[in-house]
Amino acid sequence: MGAFEKYLSVWVGLCIVVGIGLGAVIPGAFSALAALEYANVNFAVAVLIWAMVWPMMIGIDFSAMRRVGERPKGLIITLVVNWLIKPFTMAMLGVLFFRHIFAGWIPAADAEGYLAGLILLGAAPCTAMVFVWSQLTRGDPNYTLVQVSVNDTIMVFAFAPIVAFLLGVTEISVPWETLLLSVALYVVIPLIAGVLTRNALTRQGGEAAVTGFTHRMKPLSVIGLLATVVLLFGFQSGTILAQPAVIALIAVPILIQSYGIFALAYAAAWAWKVPHRIAAPCALIGTSNFFELAVAVAISLFGLNSGAALATVVGVLVEVPVMLSLVAFANRTRSAFVTTEGEAAAP
């Protein structure tokens, strides 16, 4: 690991400061970039995420995909955590903090809006960025693709009923444009590009050519990640500077949820002797969120300036720093897990 990657958390911290600063100094530029969106999917961010995801997609070997079913443990952990635990723990934490612990500090109407936003975040597992976290932890790209695909399929059917139940409303309209566009931009297009690139590289020099190319492209992923941080914090610079205390309060249950869900999934994978290349991504999938979907539903249900929409935005801001800290922890604890052969993993 090079010095740049070793101190990635430092660079991310600097990018957060730079993003907030630039957003305050040149708000017009960030407003113009923020306007480049459709169905709450921002195309500037999409391009950067594509740059991060594409190198990992090159590593996917479809000939090995059929063997994923022989290793069901990681997928089972992901599905149980994402759909039977995570939405409900997020709702419980939201109730605990916004109806009780923070009740004296926040107006009741605002608190209910923040609670609704947290519920939307908890019911939407990650689609795009999990490929980045998997790559940073040297995860199995084939297995990660299967996990994301299965989660996306379940989300189509389970998201609306779970959210409707937890919010106590009779019907939730799933923003299909947001869901389908996000999957197309973040999964389908980079996957096709990855397959075409892999085939071309394999014809030229076999697996060695694939490995060499992905290694050379790794800086592209890191640059894309840092640029994404600058954009996300630049977009919300005004909100952060105007309501820092509210942002901090909303972040508390999100932080507890993120670290708690990761600990649960990661510990389960360790106890069940899941190899690290599968264990790390399966824990990280449950920790991160499909924020485009959560933001879109919050705006459609409660309005652009609602507390629910603000809470989903805080989820976006919190996610990258939190996930990078968990990536670092996963990498440091690699040796505690087994390999597919049942031996200690290489540190």
Side-chain angles (χ1 to χ4, degrees), residues 29-70:
F30 282 90
S31 296
L33 288 173
L36 298 175
E37 67 171 30
Y38 179 78
N40 292 289
V41 177
N42 184 270
F43 295 120
V45 174
V47 169
L48 295 174
I49 291 179
W50 193 88
M52 290 184 276
V53 170
W54 172 56
M56 181 181 178
M57 293 301 194
I58 297 172
I60 292 175
D61 180 5
F62 278 91
S63 65
M65 293 287 285
R66 58 180 176 272
R67 297 198 297 271
V68 168
E70 300 170 4

Side-chain angles (χ1 to χ4, degrees), residues 5-337:
E5 291 174 303
K6 184 177 181 180
Y7 297 103
L8 184 57
S9 58
V10 175
W11 314 136
V12 169
L14 291 175
C15 286
I16 290 173
V17 174
V18 169
I20 295 174
L22 289 177
V25 174
I26 48 173
F30 282 90
S31 296
L33 288 173
L36 298 175
E37 67 171 30
Y38 179 78
N40 292 289
V41 177
N42 184 270
F43 295 120
V45 174
V47 169
L48 295 174
I49 291 179
W50 193 88
M52 290 184 276
V53 170
W54 172 56
M56 181 181 178
M57 293 301 194
I58 297 172
I60 292 175
D61 180 5
F62 278 91
S63 65
M65 293 287 285
R66 58 180 176 272
R67 297 198 297 271
V68 168
E70 300 170 4
R71 301 170 291 168
K73 294 180 181 179
L75 187 57
I76 291 172
I77 292 172
T78 297
L79 296 181
V80 169
V81 168
N82 277 352
W83 300 108
L84 299 182
I85 298 176
K86 181 183 175 183
F88 306 99
T89 55
M90 189 75 266
M92 290 171 58
L93 286 170
V95 169
L96 174 64
F97 280 94
F98 290 115
R99 289 185 181 172
H100 300 285
I101 297 177
F102 297 156
W105 301 346
I106 300 175
D110 292 344
E112 290 302 306
Y114 302 149
L115 170 59
L118 295 184
I119 289 173
L120 293 172
L121 281 172
C126 187
T127 288
M129 291 298 287
V130 68
F131 292 109
V132 180
W133 314 136
S134 179
Q135 184 181 35
L136 291 175
T137 56
R138 286 182 269 170
D140 184 329
N142 301 315
Y143 206 97
T144 301
L145 177 62
V146 171
Q147 288 177 307
V148 170
S149 300
V150 173
N151 269 299
D152 285 351
T153 301
I154 294 175
M155 192 179 338
V156 170
F157 300 98
F159 175 78
I162 289 175
V163 169
F165 171 74
L166 292 175
L167 289 180
V169 298
T170 56
E171 183 178 354
I172 296 290
S173 177
V174 176
W176 293 108
E177 290 180 331
T178 300
L179 182 58
L180 297 176
L181 181 58
S182 296
V183 172
L185 284 178
Y186 300 150
V187 181
V188 177
I189 292 177
L191 178 60
I192 293 172
V195 170
L196 294 176
T197 306
R198 181 185 179 87
N199 290 340
L201 291 169
T202 302
R203 287 194 299 269
Q204 292 176 6
E207 285 299 319
V210 174
T211 302
F213 184 81
T214 53
H215 180 73
R216 292 192 299 273
M217 288 295 102
K218 195 169 185 180
L220 179 65
S221 294
V222 177
I223 292 170
L225 175 61
L226 297 179
T228 301
V229 173
V230 172
L231 276 186
L232 292 178
F233 280 84
F235 289 161
Q236 302 300 327
S237 176
T239 302
I240 295 170
L241 295 175
Q243 306 181 70
V246 172
I247 299 294
L249 292 179
I250 296 173
V252 171
I254 297 176
L255 289 171
I256 295 173
Q257 164 86 347
S258 298
Y259 287 111
I261 286 296
F262 176 85
L264 177 64
Y266 202 56
W270 175 81
W272 211 0
K273 299 188 184 302
V274 176
H276 192 269
R277 281 170 58 83
I278 296 173
C282 95
L284 293 168
I285 287 175
T287 309
S288 54
N289 303 299
F290 189 173
F291 55 81
E292 293 91 350
L293 179 62
V295 171
V297 176
I299 292 173
S300 66
L301 284 177
F302 303 102
L304 179 62
N305 298 314
S306 65
L310 178 60
T312 57
V313 167
V314 175
V316 177
L317 300 178
V318 168
E319 177 166 319
V320 174
V322 167
M323 295 304 295
L324 283 173
S325 70
L326 293 174
V327 164
F329 177 80
N331 285 332
R332 286 197 299 269
T333 55
R334 185 186 312 277
S335 60
F337 285 75

